[in-house]
């Protein structure tokens, strides 16, 4: 675990960057265009990475790239922005925090790998922490937004799991670029058929899209997939609650959202959950390696 701590810390910055998505969506992007926002976020980033790497997958890898690009990028980003536009950030964060549970379910049922009870308890503690951190009595419930957030959590959990199940002849940059391209192709007809053209963009709009594309996507996904290639999927998924924690802190700083004793307790529980899942899964992995020797 110690020799992987620097990688873990670097990878942890990715969900923190993604936690800014709610603030940027609400404050910088044109309203009511979730699929367009997702498209602008991923397609240019994918083309940029492919232009840099100029690597092509083997024919037998294409089906896997299409599957991962659809789950990790296309479907997840579409659902992320639908929930970001339709739900308060707090409720969306609560629903997205179920991602770790879904990864544990896949690890246990599909991969047939041990999932310690302590990992389940830690993951559940994280969900409780998110509820305490961002839930509000005034939260309004939007069925489409709730379904979108849950679908996004399942899509990302499946993407994390299946990414960890195989290898690729491509570099991390190229594999990321191809997945972003697939995700962009998935989103393109949806955005064109369901949403109106963008209005004239302001400097704030352009800045918001540029940040999401270059920092929140091209850079963040490269770091994320590199971490996923080296660490267990449940450990990576356990970092997910850092995203709503970051969203909450940014809301507190920039939008004047309140921080109560309960929200502070939630913050502590989320951090404890992340550490608990990682310790449990790393311990299980170490025990499995020792058993095979």
């Amino acid at each position: 675990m110690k020799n992987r701590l620097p990688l873990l810390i670097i990878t942890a910055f990715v969900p923190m960057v993604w936690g800014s998505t709610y603030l940027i969506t609400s404050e910088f992007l044109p309203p009511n265009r979730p699929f367009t926002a997702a498209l602008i976020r991923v397609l240019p980033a994918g083309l940029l990475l492919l232009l840099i790497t100029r690597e092509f997958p083997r024919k037998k890898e294409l089906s896997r790239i299409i599957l991962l690009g659809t789950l990790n990028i296309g479907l997840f980003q579409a659902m992320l922005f639908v929930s970001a536009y339709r739900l308060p950030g707090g409720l969306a964060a609560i629903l997205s925090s179920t991602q770790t549970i879904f990864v544990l379910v896949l690890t246990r049922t599909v991969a047939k790998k041990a999932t310690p009870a302590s990992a389940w308890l830690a993951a559940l503690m994280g969900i409780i922490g998110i509820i305490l951190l961002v839930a509000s009595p005034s939260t309004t419930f939007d069925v489409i937004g709730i379904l979108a957030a849950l679908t996004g959590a399942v899509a990302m959990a499946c993407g994390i799991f299946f990414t960890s199940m195989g290898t690729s002849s491509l570099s991390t940059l190229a594999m990321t670029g191809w997945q972003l391209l697939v995700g962009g192709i998935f989103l393109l007809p949806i955005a064109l058929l369901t949403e109106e053209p963008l209005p004239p963009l302001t400097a704030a709009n352009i800045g918001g899209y540029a940040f999401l594309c270059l920092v929140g996507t091209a850079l963040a996904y490269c770091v994320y997939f590199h971490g996923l290639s080296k660490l267990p999927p449940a450990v990576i998924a356990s970092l997910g609650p850092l995203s709503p924690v970051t969203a909450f802190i940014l809301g507190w700083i920039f939008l004047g959202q309140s921080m109560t004793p309960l929200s502070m307790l939630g913050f502590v529980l989320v951090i404890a959950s992340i550490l608990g899942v990682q310790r449990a899964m790393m311990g299980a992995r170490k025990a499995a390696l020792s058993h095979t020797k």
Side-chain angles (χ1 to χ4, degrees):
M1 177 67 179
K2 289 183 179 180
N3 60 343
R4 297 189 176 187
L5 185 59
L7 176 61
L8 190 63
I9 293 173
I10 293 172
T11 308
F13 277 104
V14 174
M16 295 172 69
V17 170
W18 288 342
S20 64
T21 300
Y22 294 110
L23 176 67
I24 292 173
T25 300
S26 63
E27 300 299 313
F28 293 93
L29 302 188
N32 302 321
R33 288 173 175 83
F35 300 124
T36 300
L39 175 65
I40 294 175
R41 178 175 188 169
V42 304
L43 187 55
L47 293 173
L48 175 62
L49 291 178
L50 292 179
L51 182 63
I52 292 171
T53 60
R54 300 190 181 186
E55 296 179 32
F56 292 88
R58 297 170 181 171
K59 188 177 294 186
K60 64 181 181 180
E61 295 178 308
L62 289 176
S63 59
R64 182 169 183 267
I65 289 174
I66 292 172
L67 173 65
L68 295 180
T70 302
L71 291 172
N72 284 325
I73 310 297
L75 183 57
F76 171 71
Q77 289 293 332
M79 297 300 99
L80 170 68
F81 279 100
V82 169
S83 63
Y85 274 111
R86 300 185 70 101
L87 293 176
L91 179 56
I94 292 169
L95 298 172
S96 69
S97 68
T98 60
Q99 178 189 120
T100 307
I101 297 291
F102 293 133
V103 171
L104 289 173
V105 170
L106 290 168
T107 301
R108 182 69 183 88
T109 60
V110 179
K112 306 297 183 183
K113 293 183 179 179
T115 51
S118 56
W120 291 92
L121 291 174
L124 289 171
M125 181 169 63
I127 294 176
I128 295 172
I130 294 295
I131 292 173
L132 294 177
L133 184 64
V134 295
S136 169
S138 61
T139 295
T140 56
F141 292 89
D142 180 284
V143 175
I144 295 176
I146 290 171
L147 291 176
L150 286 174
T151 302
V154 172
M156 193 61 176
C158 291
I160 290 171
F161 176 77
F162 289 119
T163 299
S164 69
M165 295 293 287
T167 58
S168 173
S169 63
L170 299 171
S171 65
T172 299
L173 286 180
M175 184 63 176
T176 303
W178 281 104
Q179 288 191 57
L180 290 169
L181 178 63
V182 169
I185 293 172
F186 174 89
L187 290 164
L188 181 59
I190 300 175
L192 291 177
L193 293 174
T194 63
E195 295 179 352
E196 297 180 357
L198 286 170
L201 298 179
T202 66
N205 296 153
I206 295 171
Y209 283 131
F211 177 84
L212 289 175
C213 177
L214 298 176
V215 179
T217 302
L219 176 61
Y221 269 109
C222 287
V223 174
Y224 189 75
F225 286 133
H226 177 68
L228 188 54
S229 70
K230 305 293 183 182
L231 298 168
V235 171
I236 296 295
S238 74
L239 298 174
L242 286 174
S243 182
V245 167
T246 303
F248 178 79
I249 292 174
L250 290 175
W252 175 56
I253 295 173
F254 294 104
L255 302 179
Q257 297 174 354
S258 61
M259 183 175 286
T260 65
L262 277 181
S263 64
M264 289 299 297
L265 174 60
F267 183 90
V268 172
L269 288 178
V270 168
I271 299 302
S273 167
I274 293 168
L275 296 176
V277 171
Q278 292 180 19
R279 185 170 216 176
M281 296 307 295
M282 286 296 191
R285 187 176 188 179
K286 186 176 180 180
L289 290 175
S290 299
H291 182 72
T292 58
K293 291 182 179 179

